[in-house]
Amino acid sequence: MKPDQPTDAAELRRRAHARLQTQKPPANAPQSAHETQRLLHELQVHQIELELQNEELRNSRAQVEAAVSRYTDIYDFAPVGYFTLKSDGVITQTNFAGARLLGLERARLVGKRFEPFVSRVDRAAFNALIQQVFAAQAHQALEAELVRKDQPARTVHIEATLSPNGQECHAVVLDITERKQ
C-alpha cells in the first residue's frame, strides 16, 4: 500500500501564487512598515511551525510503516492459521500457516469459501459458528476436522470473533491433531 506521491514544492508554490493573484487585497492591509514587519515575522513563525509539523508527520509515518512491517511479520509467520472471513464464509485474507493448513497458496484461497475445507460432519457446526459470530457479535469456538485431497483429515480448534468494522470475522485455526491423538 503505497501512498500517493506528494505534490512537489515548486508546484505548490505555483498554485499558491496563482491563488494569491486571484484574491483581492484585504481591507485591513498593513499601513506601516512596522505592521509589515510584524506580519513578516508572523509568516516566518508559521513557516517554522509548518516545517516542524511536517517533520512530525514524517516521523509518525516512519513509525506507522515500522509497526505495519512488524504486524505483517507477526501475522504472516505466526504458527497458527489466521483467516478473515465474510459473513458467507468467503476468505478475504489468510496467513502462511492458514494456507498450509488448507493446502493452497494464499492467493488461491482469497475468494473461496472456507466451508468446503471443513469435513461434511462438521459443516453445519461451522456455519452455525459463523452465523453466531455475526448475529451475536460474540467470540465463538469450535473443534472440527479440516479435509484436504492430499492429506488425512486434521483436527483443528477454531476461534472466531467479529472484526471492529462488523463486516468480517477473524478466525484463528490451530491444528490440534497430535494433541487429540
Side-chain angles (χ1 to χ4, degrees), residues 101-102 114 117-119 122 144-148 152-156 158 173:
L101 271 172
L102 301 185
F114 191 90
F117 297 99
V118 178
S119 70
D122 295 322
E145 283 194 347
L146 294 183
V147 291
R148 288 176 39 179
R154 308 294 295 174
T155 304
V156 295
I158 303 171
V173 181

Side-chain angles (χ1 to χ4, degrees), residues 91-152:
I91 301 167
T92 60
Q93 190 173 352
T94 187
N95 66 348
F96 291 126
R100 267 193 313 278
L101 271 172
L102 301 185
L104 290 175
E105 296 172 12
R106 290 180 354 165
R108 293 186 61 211
L109 283 171
V110 173
K112 290 194 182 303
R113 291 178 45 86
F114 191 90
E115 179 187 5
F117 297 99
V118 178
S119 70
R120 291 190 189 281
V121 173
D122 295 322
R123 283 185 187 167
F126 173 76
N127 288 329
L129 171 114
I130 296 298
Q131 288 176 355
Q132 288 172 352
V133 167
F134 282 93
Q137 299 181 357
H139 179 89
Q140 300 290 323
L142 169 71
E143 193 172 291
E145 283 194 347
L146 294 183
V147 291
R148 288 176 39 179
K149 295 176 185 168
D150 61 338
Q151 285 189 356

Side-chain angles (χ1 to χ4, degrees), residues 7-167:
T7 307
D8 67 354
E11 174 62 14
L12 283 175
R13 178 169 285 283
R14 186 196 64 73
R15 288 171 44 199
H17 184 68
R19 185 177 291 176
L20 185 61
Q21 294 299 324
T22 63
Q23 294 177 349
K24 293 187 340 186
N28 58 351
Q31 301 294 325
S32 68
H34 176 70
E35 182 68 14
T36 302
Q37 196 65 16
R38 187 188 67 75
L39 288 175
L40 180 59
H41 174 75
E42 191 72 27
L43 285 173
Q44 290 169 334
V45 169
H46 285 302
Q47 179 181 2
I48 292 169
E49 286 175 345
L50 288 173
E51 289 169 358
L52 291 170
Q53 288 174 343
N54 281 337
E55 183 62 29
E56 285 180 23
L57 286 173
R58 282 190 291 276
N59 289 339
S60 295
R61 183 177 183 175
Q63 289 173 356
V64 166
E65 288 173 355
V68 167
S69 178
R70 282 190 307 273
Y71 165 79
T72 301
D73 286 347
I74 290 169
Y75 178 84
D76 281 344
F77 300 110
V80 298
Y82 286 114
F83 294 89
T84 302
L85 307 171
K86 292 182 185 177
S87 61
D88 59 1
V90 170
I91 301 167
T92 60
Q93 190 173 352
T94 187
N95 66 348
F96 291 126
R100 267 193 313 278
L101 271 172
L102 301 185
L104 290 175
E105 296 172 12
R106 290 180 354 165
R108 293 186 61 211
L109 283 171
V110 173
K112 290 194 182 303
R113 291 178 45 86
F114 191 90
E115 179 187 5
F117 297 99
V118 178
S119 70
R120 291 190 189 281
V121 173
D122 295 322
R123 283 185 187 167
F126 173 76
N127 288 329
L129 171 114
I130 296 298
Q131 288 176 355
Q132 288 172 352
V133 167
F134 282 93
Q137 299 181 357
H139 179 89
Q140 300 290 323
L142 169 71
E143 193 172 291
E145 283 194 347
L146 294 183
V147 291
R148 288 176 39 179
K149 295 176 185 168
D150 61 338
Q151 285 189 356
R154 308 294 295 174
T155 304
V156 295
H157 178 78
I158 303 171
E159 293 199 23
T161 189
L162 196 62
S163 69
N165 69 15
Q167 301 300 309

